[in-house]
Amino acid sequence: MGGTQTVHTDVIVVGAGPTGLLLAAELALAGVGVRVLERNDAPTSQSRALTLHPRSIEVMDLRGIADRFLARGHTLPGWHFAGLKTRLDFTALDTRHGYTLFLEQARTEELLDARARELGAEIVRGCQVTAVRQEPDSVVVETARGEALRASYVVGCDGGRSIVRQAAGIPFDGTDETLSGMLGDFAVTGPDAARSAEAHGVLAVPLEGGLTRFVVVDPERMRVPSDQPLTYEEFRQALTNVAGTDFDVAEPHWLSRFGNATRLAGRYRQGRLLVAGDAAHIHFPAAGQGLNTGLQDAMNLGWKLAAQVKGWAPEGLLDSYDAERRPVGAAVTANTEVQTLLMELTLVPQYHRPVMALRGMLDGLLRIGEVNRNLAASVSAIGTHYGDGSPAGARLPDLAISVAERPGVERLYQLLHDGRFLLVRTGKQAGASGREDRVETVTATAWQPSPDLEEAEALLVRPDGHLAWAGPIEAEQQALLDWTGAAAVAP
Ligand SMILES: Cc1cc2nc3c(=O)[nH]c(=O)nc-3n(C[C@H](O)[C@H](O)[C@H](O)COP(=O)(O)OP(=O)(O)OC[C@H]3O[C@@H](n4cnc5c(N)ncnc54)[C@H](O)[C@@H]3O)c2cc1C
């Protein structure tokens, strides 16, 4: 073992990707001590992901920071599924943010890094974690710098090869890679490159700083393992094979291969160790869901882990992270496998014709409003429901509301900025909740509930914007106890 044990931290987060940074921000917001350990010396300027989907913007809105992201990117009305011609229409969703925000991953990370730091999280770069060991009351984390750090909990947000997941002995079952694609960011392209590339089966997307990203799957090279280095010559050849031209690309800024290995962690928690983001699920980057799913993991876990550290978490609250988020991870990995199949088989000569016919049929189905809305709700995560279909567990839209205690508030999400539960009383009054450190109580003077909430005399909204409970005022105390623990916390 390495050098001296330093001070005890409440939570160590391994990895300063988007998942780790948002989790750190959420923990710090809840007043929990958090230290992020990241092996890279500096933030990366290379962006794998390019999109933030509607629920990701909503969760930024829940914390009052959506404008920071919106100011840096531009919006598109929807997104694709399996590259089908008919796009998913995000404008039809029940949200104020019915669009995809086109924002490079490097910018998203920059904004989340700043947010985490301003709330007091410590982010240590150039610090690779080399070992993680659980002890009965804490976890010891060893680093390549020779330190041994101690924390109450450790969360692995350290990507697909997660050392935390491995140390926890959590299985990562799924399927090995069978297919790889290539991406290249280039400075020199003609003005019509994007349009012309798309017509030739190559995706081309304008990036910041005059760069264009080309994404290509070349049938002749699609079985090359993704860990094999990609050269400029190979990339140009792949463009020529697929599109009949290399679009005069020159000066690559970044070349990378990516694969379709698909795996899901067998558990998201093992004692004092947890995993989130790519450490918990990997898949082909189809329909831009990986980063977005990691952000939702972080929003679900942050307040639960904070409650555990603070000592008021009701029995089972921390385990509900696995119960709520693993099914979402399973659904995302499944839909990316479907998309990969729909794309890959078009490149295999004997399946090309029937698969093109199948794609045509699916295109037709996506033109039916309700079908499109359903899939859009799933890909955008607007449809995520942590329950059995009853109101409890549902994501609450940003409904219009006025409350007596806070003049000027016009919508629900404005009441969730500080990350506490929100108890909304809609008519009858009751006493104080006795949990002001974790619950804000307001009285609605006007509000527009969905029909299934119209009868509720009180509702309890979770810090992640999902409904915990709705019902008569007499049942409020029990709901508070079930979700927010006893009023008095032992020191
Ligand atoms: C080509 C491509 C395009 C994509 N496009 C999209 C898209 O449009 N939309 C979308 O939502 N997703 C997309 N994704 C997926 C997205 O990039 C990932 O899902 C996302 O980066 C996961 O974030 P994360 O924070 O969980 O993990 P990562 O971003 O992988 O971050 C993990 C961090 O942990 C650090 N780390 C690892 N091991 C250690 C260690 N031992 N000690 C310390 N630090 C460590 C790493 O250096 C890294 O910074 C795409 C992926 C690819 C490959």
Side-chain angles (χ1 to χ4, degrees):
M1 186 197 286
T4 45
Q5 307 256 340
T6 59
V7 276
H8 185 111
T9 313
D10 289 333
V11 178
I12 287 179
V13 173
V14 183
T19 308
L21 291 168
L22 181 59
L23 179 64
E26 284 295 293
L27 290 165
L29 179 66
V32 165
V34 55
R35 182 184 280 186
V36 183
L37 307 179
E38 165 57 51
R39 70 178 167 203
N40 292 335
D41 292 334
T44 174
S45 59
Q46 293 158 347
S47 291
R48 286 181 284 162
L50 301 175
T51 56
L52 286 182
H53 286 335
R55 184 59 183 163
S56 298
I57 305 298
E58 279 196 348
V59 300
M60 301 309 164
D61 204 3
L62 280 172
R63 296 294 181 258
I65 56 169
D67 288 351
R68 301 181 188 183
F69 294 80
L70 295 173
R72 300 292 291 274
H74 63 271
T75 61
L76 303 167
W79 203 238
H80 74 92
F81 186 84
L84 293 170
K85 278 202 192 77
T86 311
R87 298 289 150 138
L88 299 178
D89 181 10
F90 288 169
T91 66
L93 298 170
D94 178 21
T95 169
R96 291 179 199 269
H97 301 290
Y99 49 78
T100 273
L101 182 68
F102 195 85
L103 184 69
E104 293 175 30
Q105 181 164 342
R107 295 289 82 71
T108 296
E109 291 183 16
E110 178 190 324
L111 292 167
L112 291 174
D113 181 292
R115 161 81 173 166
R117 285 177 197 274
E118 78 194 25
L119 292 169
E122 187 189 352
I123 299 171
V124 187
R125 295 189 182 271
C127 184
Q128 177 162 9
V129 171
T130 52
V132 179
R133 198 177 61 252
Q134 286 207 68
E135 294 186 349
D137 299 322
S138 63
V139 185
V140 177
V141 172
E142 295 178 23
T143 76
R145 297 171 171 183
E147 301 152 312
L149 311 172
R150 199 173 276 279
S152 299
Y153 290 87
V154 171
V155 188
C157 299
D158 48 347
R161 296 192 169 86
S162 171
I163 191 171
V164 177
R165 188 189 65 237
Q166 292 172 36
I170 295 174
F172 202 38
D173 293 333
T175 49
D176 292 336
E177 175 179 306
T178 59
L179 168 83
S180 70
M182 312 174 196
L183 71 80
D185 294 348
F186 293 91
V188 183
T189 61
D192 295 330
R195 213 173 323 122
S196 129
E198 212 163 310
H200 289 88
V202 170
L203 184 69
V205 188
L207 303 178
E208 287 176 358
L211 297 178
T212 297
R213 166 161 304 172
F214 290 84
V215 181
V216 61
V217 179
D218 177 1
E220 287 179 24
R221 308 291 299 161
M222 69 184 184
R223 307 297 177 202
V224 176
S226 62
D227 56 5
Q228 194 164 308
L230 173 60
T231 65
Y232 171 46
E233 266 321 306
E234 186 186 351
F235 196 84
R236 281 183 53 199
Q237 188 58 53
L239 287 177
T240 309
N241 288 350
V242 172
T245 166
D246 67 5
F247 301 99
D248 293 330
V249 294
E251 299 172 42
H253 279 236
W254 185 36
L255 292 170
S256 179
R257 228 188 283 270
F258 53 93
N260 68 333
T262 302
R263 299 182 180 281
L264 180 68
R267 299 181 290 285
Y268 279 17
R269 177 186 178 197
Q270 181 67 49
R272 294 177 174 274
L273 303 180
L274 298 111
V275 289
D278 275 19
H281 38 74
I282 55 164
H283 50 78
F284 202 60
Q289 299 171 91
L291 181 156
N292 286 281
T293 308
L295 295 180
Q296 304 308 327
D297 290 345
M299 279 305 283
N300 187 287
L301 176 57
W303 58 276
K304 294 176 181 174
L305 187 51
Q308 183 81 10
V309 169
K310 293 265 174 190
W312 58 258
E315 184 76 28
L317 183 69
L318 189 54
D319 284 329
S320 73
Y321 166 61
D322 173 283
E324 293 184 342
R325 291 304 300 170
R326 232 166 59 79
V328 174
V332 171
T333 52
N335 91 41
T336 57
E337 284 183 306
V338 168
Q339 294 185 74
T340 312
L341 199 68
L342 282 170
M343 295 188 276
E344 179 181 2
L345 290 184
T346 63
L347 305 173
V348 179
Q350 69 265 39
Y351 296 122
H352 180 79
R353 222 166 46 92
V355 172
M356 288 309 285
L358 175 61
R359 292 176 63 91
M361 288 168 69
L362 292 173
D363 251 321
L365 288 174
L366 279 187
R367 285 196 286 276
I368 301 170
E370 204 176 331
V371 174
N372 194 304
R373 219 169 15 258
N374 240 290
L375 197 54
S378 161
V379 167
S380 65
I382 288 292
T384 301
H385 194 305
Y386 296 136
D388 55 9
S390 68
R395 154 203 163 270
L396 288 175
D398 191 11
L399 46 88
I401 188 167
S402 305
V403 299
E405 295 77 3
R406 293 232 246 141
V409 161
E410 293 171 347
R411 52 193 185 88
L412 182 73
Y413 289 8
Q414 289 173 301
L415 293 164
L416 288 155
H417 289 184
D418 69 7
R420 284 184 293 167
F421 277 83
L422 182 71
L423 177 63
V424 183
R425 291 173 179 152
T426 64
K428 287 190 199 165
Q429 288 305 304
S433 78
R435 299 164 176 84
E436 281 65 33
D437 58 326
R438 65 203 101 132
V439 183
E440 176 172 10
T441 304
V442 293
T443 313
T445 50
W447 73 309
Q448 286 175 354
S450 55
D452 49 358
L453 293 178
E454 267 167 5
E455 302 292 312
E457 291 172 341
L459 28 147
L460 187 60
V461 184
R462 303 170 12 159
D464 58 9
H466 283 252
L467 182 69
W469 164 87
I473 205 88
E474 296 74 34
E476 181 189 284
Q477 279 304 317
Q478 188 60 48
L480 281 168
L481 191 63
D482 291 347
W483 280 95
T484 68
V489 177

